[in-house]
């Protein structure tokens, strides 16, 4: 796979795929974490003389139709505020007006194109669509790690037709999550919670082969216990719960805290209970407190865990926080991700 340092961006018009799938509220960006995460890549490219960037991203799931509530306009505004310069907005990259804007971009300019999922071809992984999108560009940079598990045109097809490389965020994600796939220190502990049993089960099974101990909580633990799914012996389930099964109970919390305090390498994905309700937050709060006070190398990820960490202003307490939800789960489940495979195959 090629990285930014392997490419000469001088004089190049660069197509940059990001994941600006951010929460919006009243037409404004509610959490700009994913926007800030790609700033190092944008700055790196624009440091090289006469380079210019067109950014493409998806937002939400508009199902191949133009839907103003999924417009990236609020993201363009936010990106402009953060970077301190105007971001050119491209309504449609494929019509004449879009082509003119792309061709006339000046040195150091940044444009953001409207939601790429407004085109049905994106999710259909359409080859011609990918070719049409990238033909004005010298280089394609993919910095959307959190979309690499999608076999979509801007993720999996473009690298077949353009010199391509991974951005700095993608590079860091692959480095750090590769460590999590081969924990360099022991005891290694994985703490897995959350609700999506269909995505978490392969993860738990795969981590059980790699980690000394896998502690399971949240809805996923309840469902695995209800379904009497058999796991390896190092997969640990709660002994008690609160209010039926809405949070892990005190006995489980103590047992999990003990295990966490002994860890030298730790990965955390998913809350321990229905943490969005105050009275079922305690399990997650106590496990989080145990994690941040442990001396282990700490990696976290997943939408809900990141939301919780941010609510505690705890991001700097972790060695790495993944921007990937589904992508992190699939990576740690040992799956090949289409967006990474495409970059690896790019010559
Ligand atoms: C995410 O938020 O995990 C990514 O942006 C992928 O979004 P998707 O699940 O709608 O493909």
């Amino acid at each position: 796979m090629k990285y930014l340092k392997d490419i000469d961006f001088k004089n190049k018009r660069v197509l940059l795929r990001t994941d600006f799938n951010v929460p919006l509220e009243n037409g404004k960006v509610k959490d700009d974490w994913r926007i800030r995460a790609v700033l190092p890549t944008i700055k790196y490219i624009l440091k090289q003389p006469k380079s210019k960037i067109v950014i493409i991203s998806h937002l939400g799931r508009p199902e191949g139709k133009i839907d103003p509530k999924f417009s990236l306009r609020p993201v363009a505004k936010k990106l402009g505020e953060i970077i301190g310069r105007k971001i050119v907005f491209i309504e449609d990259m494929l019509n004449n007006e879009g082509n003119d804007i792309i061709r006339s971009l000046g040195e150091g300019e940044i444009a953001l194109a409207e939601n790429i999922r407004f085109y049905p071809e994106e999710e259909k992984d359409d080859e011609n669509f990918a070719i049409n999108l990238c033909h004005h560009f010298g280089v394609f940079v993919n910095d959307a790690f959190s979309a690499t598990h999608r076999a979509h045109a801007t993720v999996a097809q473009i690298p077949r037709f353009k010199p391509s490389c991974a951005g700095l965020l993608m590079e860091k994600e692959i480095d750090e999550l590769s460590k999590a796939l081969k924990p360099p220190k022991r005891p290694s502990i994985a703490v897995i919670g959350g609700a999506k049993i269909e995505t978490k089960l392969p993860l738990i099974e795969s981590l059980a082969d790699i980690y000394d101990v896998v502690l399971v909580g949240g809805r996923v633990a309840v469902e695995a216990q209800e379904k009497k799914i058999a796991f390896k012996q190092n997969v640990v389930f709660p002994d008690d719960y609160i209010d039926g099964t809405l949070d892990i109970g005190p006995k489980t919390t103590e047992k999990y805290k003990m295990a966490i305090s002994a860890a030298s390498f730790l990965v955390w994905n998913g809350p321990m209970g229905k943490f969005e309700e105050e009275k079922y937050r305690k399990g997650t709060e106590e496990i989080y407190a145990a994690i941040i006070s442990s001396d282990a190398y700490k990696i976290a990820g997943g939408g809900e865990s990141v939301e919780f960490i941010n609510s505690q202003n705890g991001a700097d307490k972790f060695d790495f926080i993944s921007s990937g939800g589904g992508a992190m789960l699939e990576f740690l489940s040992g799956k090949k991700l289409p967006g990474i495979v495409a970059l690896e195959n790019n010559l």
Side-chain angles (χ1 to χ4, degrees):
M1 183 183 304
K2 288 199 278 298
Y3 299 100
L4 292 190
K5 61 179 176 346
D6 304 314
I7 305 274
D8 180 9
F9 290 101
K10 192 173 155 200
N11 249 323
K12 297 259 168 47
R13 198 181 289 132
V14 180
L15 182 62
L16 171 63
R17 174 58 156 106
T18 63
D19 185 346
F20 287 163
N21 188 14
V22 295
L24 300 177
E25 197 175 65
N26 303 325
K28 290 201 175 112
V29 173
K30 202 175 149 206
D31 181 349
D32 61 12
W33 188 65
R34 276 184 166 170
I35 302 174
R36 292 184 185 276
V38 296
L39 295 183
T41 293
I42 294 175
K43 286 184 182 154
Y44 181 101
I45 295 168
L46 290 185
K47 248 194 222 150
Q48 303 201 20
K50 296 191 182 158
S51 59
K52 44 230 133 192
I53 303 177
V54 174
I55 302 175
I56 47 175
S57 172
H58 68 280
L59 192 154
R61 293 178 178 168
E63 298 181 341
K65 290 186 214 89
I66 297 174
D67 182 340
K69 75 172 179 288
F70 294 112
S71 173
L72 278 167
R73 276 190 184 276
V75 174
K77 189 161 178 284
K78 182 49 107 183
L79 177 63
E81 283 163 16
I82 295 172
I83 291 201
R85 69 167 86 168
K86 190 179 172 330
I87 305 296
V88 181
F89 194 75
I90 307 175
E91 206 67 59
D92 182 351
M93 277 179 76
L94 299 180
N95 67 13
N96 288 341
E97 199 187 322
N99 281 335
D100 288 347
I101 299 175
I102 293 168
R103 278 197 299 259
S104 62
L105 276 181
E107 172 169 1
E109 278 200 294
I110 305 170
L112 174 65
E114 185 54 289
N115 194 341
I116 214 70
R117 287 190 185 168
F118 284 180
Y119 303 96
E121 295 90 342
E122 165 67 352
E123 292 184 61
K124 289 187 184 140
D125 200 18
D126 188 288
E127 184 177 296
N128 288 324
F129 174 63
I131 293 170
N132 289 335
L133 281 178
C134 70
H135 84 276
H136 289 302
F137 297 89
V139 185
F140 173 64
V141 177
N142 188 349
D143 216 14
F145 171 77
S146 40
T148 47
H149 58 315
R150 302 295 182 211
H152 293 173
T154 60
V155 177
Q157 292 293 339
I158 294 179
R160 294 180 53 216
F161 307 105
K162 270 292 142 182
S164 303
C165 73
L168 295 171
L169 175 63
M170 176 82 83
E171 182 176 1
K172 182 101 177 126
E173 290 275 2
I174 294 172
D175 273 5
E176 292 290 336
L177 296 182
S178 298
K179 273 185 216 159
L181 270 184
K182 256 190 177 177
K185 294 197 246 170
R186 297 185 62 190
S188 55
I189 301 215
V191 183
I192 305 299
K196 291 185 198 143
I197 189 146
E198 48 312 327
T199 44
K200 297 283 167 93
L201 280 184
L203 176 73
I204 294 168
E205 279 162 355
S206 145
L207 295 180
D209 289 334
I210 306 171
Y211 282 71
D212 291 309
V213 179
V214 182
L215 306 172
V216 188
R219 191 72 215 142
V220 70
V222 178
E223 290 188 28
Q225 284 175 308
E226 280 170 0
K227 292 186 172 154
K228 296 194 167 47
I229 300 171
F231 290 95
K232 287 176 75 173
Q233 274 195 341
N234 59 341
V235 181
V236 181
F237 283 93
D239 301 317
D240 60 342
Y241 287 99
I242 299 286
D243 280 359
T245 53
L246 293 170
D247 197 3
I248 54 171
K251 241 171 98 184
T252 307
T253 305
E254 282 317 305
K255 185 166 82 172
Y256 285 12
K257 277 162 70 177
M258 282 273 284
I260 289 166
S261 68
S264 292
F265 191 96
L266 191 143
V267 62
W268 176 37
N269 181 298
M272 294 291 104
K274 205 174 178 207
F275 80 118
E276 57 278 23
E277 282 184 41
E278 185 61 39
K279 55 183 178 178
Y280 305 123
R281 257 178 111 83
K282 195 159 187 278
T284 303
E285 274 168 0
E286 292 209 21
I287 295 306
Y288 165 79
I291 291 172
I292 60 168
S293 57
S294 107
D295 291 333
Y297 190 89
K298 300 182 257 300
I299 294 182
E304 291 176 324
S305 305
V306 175
E307 185 187 326
F308 185 84
I309 293 166
N310 288 339
S311 76
Q312 310 292 307
N313 291 323
D316 59 353
K317 309 262 182 355
F318 287 80
D319 294 282
F320 181 66
I321 297 184
S322 175
S323 59
M328 177 194 184
L329 296 182
E330 293 199 20
F331 191 98
L332 293 183
S333 303
K335 290 193 187 143
K336 291 257 171 229
L337 308 189
I340 294 182
V341 172
L343 288 177
E344 282 168 350
N345 290 343
N346 182 261
L347 299 176

